[in-house]
Amino acid sequence: SLPAILLQAHAHFRPCPRADTQGPPRFRAMSTSLVVKNTFICALDAEALSPVRGVCRRRSSSDSLGSTTCGSFGQSDDDSWEGTTASGDDGAGASAFAEELEAGGAGAAAACAALAFDPLGSCWLLRAMELGGVGAAKVVSTAMAGGVCKAARSAHACAVLESLICMLSTDEVSFIASEMCAAAMQIATHVHGHAVVCRLLEYSGGAAPTLALADAVLAEDAAVLCCHKFGHHVAMSLLSNGLTRHRRAIVTALFGRLPRFARHRFASSVVVQALSQCADEEGGVLAAQLVATPVEIVGLAVHNFGV
């Protein structure tokens, strides 16, 4: 039995003094047949105990970009910016890279797509766009064209797309919405992709490609969008920045099962947004159903999300 095994293990071990006086005493093995190793009782031959694991410390954020050279991101050996260093603090490498982008350097432009998907390269690329301004952002947008759907699902490249949407004009980022129409619902409910859709609605909500993207998202199932962990953010952005038909589509989906949605962890936020953003006619219909009976009012008031 387990108590018997523990007693046997205790009989084979005795405490030994530590160099320091803090913490419990360590134990030294007195037999080779039974050892306690990493909190497990193991029957082993002669084998040394594993060393005591030290305290792990998180790496300082100040050296997150380190001193990685540009050559580590996959560009060709004959690039003019091969020896430039990426530094998160002084921005010397990012500044040189931004100048290369503005000058139309082929090597730097070709490396943009690869940098966007790299954890360190994406941060460096964002810094280069910040330093280089609109000129550098235009070169990056050209490099990202054709791979928007993959970039929107990337934990690193999605931030580059969001920065492009914020920096460039509506016409210059229209390709982003156009490409995402092919997988509209999948991107709108993606952990990273939904943020790109929200930025498009905020900065280019009236553009034809963005409106087409919004129509494609709502064409599948607006109710699923409202209840999704990430998709409900897109539904709320549509209520704030979309057209009347977009708001009506969401209100219609909510009205079908409004009591349930008002108590839903994510859809309840969409209901609140609809009540505050929709016209009086649409919002009044939702409010009237929510307070139709005293029982319904009390049920919402005592619910975790309905309140």
Side-chain angles (χ1 to χ4, degrees), residues 75-76 79-81 100-101 103-112 139:
Q75 60 272 24
S76 60
D79 290 339
S80 60
W81 47 278
E100 188 73 14
L101 287 176
C112 286
V139 178

Side-chain angles (χ1 to χ4, degrees), residues 187-208:
I187 295 177
T189 54
H190 192 268
V191 59
H192 306 300
H194 78 278
V196 181
V197 179
C198 290
R199 296 296 88 75
L200 281 171
L201 292 170
E202 293 170 6
Y203 286 86
S204 305

Side-chain angles (χ1 to χ4, degrees), residues 261-279:
F261 291 141
R263 294 171 172 83
H264 192 272
R265 179 178 181 181
F266 305 118
S268 58
S269 300
V270 183
V271 174
V272 173
Q273 189 80 347
L275 292 172
S276 60
Q277 296 292 331
C278 292

Side-chain angles (χ1 to χ4, degrees), residues 158-206:
C158 67
V160 178
L161 292 179
E162 292 185 58
S163 183
L164 291 175
I165 295 169
C166 297
M167 294 181 64
L168 299 179
S169 65
T170 298
D171 294 335
E172 291 168 337
V173 296
S174 60
F175 73 96
I176 298 178
S178 299
E179 292 187 29
M180 289 198 302
C181 286
M185 190 63 168
Q186 290 79 1
I187 295 177
T189 54
H190 192 268
V191 59
H192 306 300
H194 78 278
V196 181
V197 179
C198 290
R199 296 296 88 75
L200 281 171
L201 292 170
E202 293 170 6
Y203 286 86
S204 305

